[in-house]
């Protein structure tokens, strides 16, 4: 099982992440990582993220901007 994030602008355009993600083997690991680096991702141009498991969308997009308020 591979969990991965897609990093996007608010309009859904994919952008490269400011912090290179590691390979995640669990959903919890992926969520913990984004919880730790969301501010750097936001500062680097990503406004939202979507979580995928083996290429299948699990949820998202989830705004990073809302966390900054």
């Amino acid at each position: 099982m591979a969990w991965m994030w897609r990093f996007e602008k608010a309009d859904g355009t994919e952008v490269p992440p400011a912090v290179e993600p590691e390979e995640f083997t669990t959903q919890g690991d992926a969520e913990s990582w984004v919880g730790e680096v969301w501010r750097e991702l936001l500062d680097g141009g990503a406004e939202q993220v979507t979580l995928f498991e083996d290429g299948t969308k699990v949820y998202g997009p989830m705004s990073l901007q809302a966390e900054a308020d």
Side-chain angles (χ1 to χ4, degrees):
M1 238 185 263
W3 296 83
M4 59 182 284
W5 291 104
R6 174 183 158 104
F7 307 92
E8 306 169 343
K9 291 285 198 188
D11 66 4
T13 304
E14 190 169 7
V15 296
V19 180
E20 196 60 40
E22 54 195 71
E23 288 190 20
F24 306 108
T25 56
T26 69
Q27 182 174 352
D29 288 346
E31 291 170 338
S32 292
W33 178 83
V34 87
E36 293 169 7
V37 301
W38 68 267
R39 189 176 308 267
E40 292 146 282
L41 294 170
L42 183 61
D43 290 345
E47 298 174 80
Q48 61 190 25
V49 292
T50 299
L51 183 63
F52 291 85
E53 178 189 10
D54 293 329
T56 301
K57 182 177 171 180
V58 177
Y59 66 80
M62 176 177 70
S63 175
L64 297 174
Q65 190 65 46
E67 296 292 331
D69 294 337

